[in-house]
Amino acid sequence: MVAGMSVPIAADTAGRQTAFVGPIILLGAPGAGKGTQAQLIAERYGIPQISTGDILRSNVSRGTELGKKAKAVMDRGELVSDELVCGMVADRLQQPDCARGFILDGFPRTAAQANWLDEFLAARTFGGRHLPPVVISIEVGYNQLLQRLTGRRSCPSDGQIYNIYSHPPKKEGICDLCGSQLIQRPDDKEEVIAKRLEKYQAETLPLVDYYRNQGRLQKLNGELPVEQVTAATFAALVRPEAEK
Ligand code: AMP
């Protein structure tokens, strides 16, 4: 428990991961740190991190039909169609591990996806109750995003993320944990990054207003040290009494 934090939504006072957490949506530009925070929430509350980017990349590497349709679009830094992505998310949210709650990382990314999700959640209960999403927007300036994305390297075996500027591996190009050769995502190349950030501005940034208008938005400064962002993220997860 982070010092001074109020009682979180998911763990009871004994810290057991038994409560219904409900849906958590992490909004933010590529490189804002959604994946990092999502992993920490997932560990703490025992609910799955659902990263649409990770699911798509897994489909690409397995050569599935979905992966074949998505690959070229992803390599250009554009968005995969709402129909494909919503279908994929619907399948994933039916899995039993989502029964207590889930963290959406990289979804929704368009107004159509947000509308679809609202309808999906309206028909969904957690422990017999409707729980609206907790929506957290992690805000990071453009230059910082560029540095994070161009410096990002990941381990293809265990998913560990590094940054050659701010969090380099002990041995250049090698995963500290498993010794695999680190890779750069094809869409983290400079020319594609510009396109991804442009898509973010045009398609995803308006969702900040969408959730603000619903009274659900909580903004965090994603440029603070990661522990501080995490403390603020956990604090933002506390639901109002009426929703617990
Ligand atoms: P990410 O790992 O979240 O940066 O996503 C990598 C790429 O996957 C994006 O640039 C898109 O091409 C695709 N993608 C991920 N999530 C979505 C989504 N919700 N809607 C459309 N395309 C997506």
Side-chain angles (χ1 to χ4, degrees):
M1 168 82 82
V2 177
M5 209 179 77
S6 33
V7 179
I9 46 177
D12 60 19
T13 45
R16 290 187 296 259
Q17 294 175 340
T18 51
F20 290 95
V21 188
I24 298 168
I25 298 174
L26 295 184
L27 291 179
K34 301 186 296 296
T36 303
Q37 296 306 323
Q39 270 178 17
L40 292 165
I41 301 170
E43 273 167 31
R44 183 183 173 95
Y45 293 110
I47 56 172
Q49 167 191 7
I50 299 175
S51 154
T52 42
D54 284 349
I55 302 175
L56 287 165
R57 277 185 290 279
S58 152
N59 275 275
V60 170
S61 61
R62 286 180 289 122
T64 66
E65 278 311 305
L66 173 61
K68 284 180 199 151
K69 286 183 191 149
K71 184 175 183 332
V73 180
M74 292 172 74
D75 286 349
R76 287 198 301 272
E78 292 178 3
L79 293 182
V80 176
S81 78
D82 292 327
E83 198 189 344
L84 281 184
V85 175
C86 291
M88 187 180 93
V89 171
D91 285 347
R92 180 65 187 85
L93 298 185
Q94 311 294 348
Q95 306 289 317
D97 64 339
C98 294
R100 288 175 43 244
F102 44 81
I103 308 145
L104 292 169
D105 158 11
F107 182 93
R109 242 170 161 110
T110 65
Q113 292 176 15
N115 289 325
W116 175 86
L117 183 64
D118 274 351
E119 280 182 29
F120 182 91
L121 293 179
R124 167 110 190 203
T125 55
F126 297 86
R129 305 180 51 210
H130 284 288
L131 285 177
V134 171
V135 184
I136 299 174
S137 171
I138 305 179
E139 320 242 316
V140 173
Y142 193 84
N143 289 340
Q144 177 74 242
L145 291 172
L146 274 185
Q147 199 197 45
R148 290 186 187 185
L149 291 167
T150 51
R152 180 158 67 181
R153 301 289 182 274
S154 57
C155 173
S157 308
D158 60 23
Q160 194 67 21
I161 311 271
Y162 299 87
N163 189 289
I164 56 171
Y165 307 114
S166 57
H167 172 47
K170 291 194 183 87
K171 192 166 168 220
E172 194 184 325
I174 302 293
C175 179
D176 291 347
L177 300 184
C178 73
S180 300
Q181 187 81 36
L182 300 179
I183 54 166
Q184 183 178 36
R185 278 170 43 173
D187 60 351
D188 276 347
K189 304 253 156 62
E190 253 173 277
E191 56 284 10
V192 186
I193 287 172
K195 183 60 157 187
R196 289 168 63 207
L197 292 175
E198 189 187 305
K199 283 281 157 198
Y200 172 77
Q201 291 272 347
E203 306 274 358
T204 312
L205 200 54
L207 298 187
V208 169
D209 283 335
Y210 179 89
Y211 288 112
R212 187 188 292 117
N213 292 339
Q214 289 187 1
R216 308 229 65 85
L217 188 77
Q218 307 201 58
K219 281 190 183 189
L220 300 188
N221 177 357
E223 295 197 17
L224 294 172
V226 68
E227 318 76 61
Q228 288 182 38
V229 181
T230 304
T233 302
F234 287 162
L237 293 179
V238 180
R239 284 185 184 275
E241 200 54 44
E243 287 179 9
K244 277 183 187 155

